[in-house]
Amino acid sequence: MKIGVLALQGDFDLHRKALARIGVSSVEVRKAEQLEEVSGLVIPGGESTTLLKLMDAWDFIPALGRFHGAGRPIFGTCAGLILLAREVAHPAQRSLGFIDITAERNAYGRQKESFETELGADLGQGHVRFKAVFIRAPRIRRLGPAVRPLAELGGECVMARQGSVLVAAFHPELTEDLTVHQYFTAMVRAAPPAPAHMVDLAAGGPDGSTG
């Protein structure tokens, strides 16, 4: 099993180091065709508008649609959460729409208001606590009915999952705590093998139909 870390911009190297510490092989994904070689993908924090422009420039959008359509797990942190959301607010922004949430950008304040805290969640093996760093973090303002909240801070969801898509408003890679990366790795291991012909959701399916 090999997990890809989108390496267009942001703190991708720290995610690779976290995966290495739990014994998982990873690769920097810089070209869309590399998605064919990985079982899961991490979209790191960074600048969501810059990441979106680079995704367009390198033709990642349709490739990510096929990757998601094949059921391969995707984990988005901070800016990655924004890109995976169905709706983005303050300001509105185009996104991939793979998880039915509304994300509000930079809603936890400016860089100087960054903070580290401890969160609690039931990640399938009982309640666990883990560390999380919030830096210009987005807020999840709406959860769709199919979205499962996993962790909260101050009564607000900060980590959620819908099927093969996991999002976190914080940066687990900035701590020594490997709980969240272990959870995502378990998602990747449990995912069914990708079909030979991945469904191109971005194009509306192989027969041109939609959802």
Side-chain angles (χ1 to χ4, degrees):
M1 181 183 74
K2 184 182 293 182
I3 292 179
V5 182
L6 191 68
L8 299 180
Q9 191 252 359
D11 55 357
F12 50 85
D13 187 55
L14 290 176
H15 280 289
R16 292 198 65 199
K17 289 176 178 174
L19 291 169
R21 291 204 297 275
I22 56 175
V24 175
S25 178
S26 70
V27 62
E28 293 180 6
V29 174
R30 296 179 182 274
K31 296 180 179 178
E33 55 265 33
Q34 289 179 275
L35 292 174
E36 299 285 346
E37 305 166 4
V38 297
S39 303
L41 179 71
V42 177
I43 301 180
E47 291 288 341
S48 61
T49 51
T50 301
L51 277 166
L52 196 58
K53 288 177 182 177
L54 292 171
M55 284 180 176
D56 278 331
W58 291 96
D59 207 23
F60 264 93
I61 305 299
L64 284 168
R66 291 191 293 273
F67 192 86
H68 174 56
R72 296 190 187 182
I74 304 175
F75 175 29
T77 64
C78 199
L81 176 153
I82 295 169
L83 292 170
L84 291 170
R86 176 156 297 172
E87 183 181 27
V88 179
H90 295 288
Q93 177 179 295
R94 184 164 59 96
S95 56
L96 295 167
F98 294 168
I99 182 168
D100 188 15
I101 62 172
T102 298
E104 180 182 340
R105 300 169 61 190
N106 302 326
Y108 278 91
R110 304 168 70 178
Q111 187 95 11
K112 65 181 182 180
E113 295 167 301
S114 303
F115 62 96
E116 179 175 330
T117 189
E118 190 172 90
L119 302 174
D122 184 349
L123 300 179
Q125 296 182 334
H127 191 80
V128 295
R129 298 196 67 80
F130 55 89
K131 293 181 178 178
V133 174
F134 289 75
I135 303 174
R136 297 177 60 203
R139 267 193 162 93
I140 300 174
R141 291 300 191 189
R142 180 192 62 84
L143 292 172
V147 179
R148 180 156 55 104
L150 295 175
E152 293 185 349
L153 177 64
E156 295 184 344
C157 178
V158 293
M159 180 176 170
R161 175 179 176 179
Q162 182 178 0
S164 62
V165 179
L166 176 69
V167 293
F170 52 89
H171 293 264
E173 76 282 5
L174 293 178
T175 77
E176 295 298 315
D177 196 317
L178 300 170
T179 302
V180 178
H181 287 88
Q182 288 169 331
Y183 179 69
F184 178 65
T185 299
M187 285 175 57
V188 176
R189 287 199 174 100
H197 302 288
M198 292 191 295
V199 179
D200 189 348
L201 290 187
D207 61 354
S209 63
T210 58

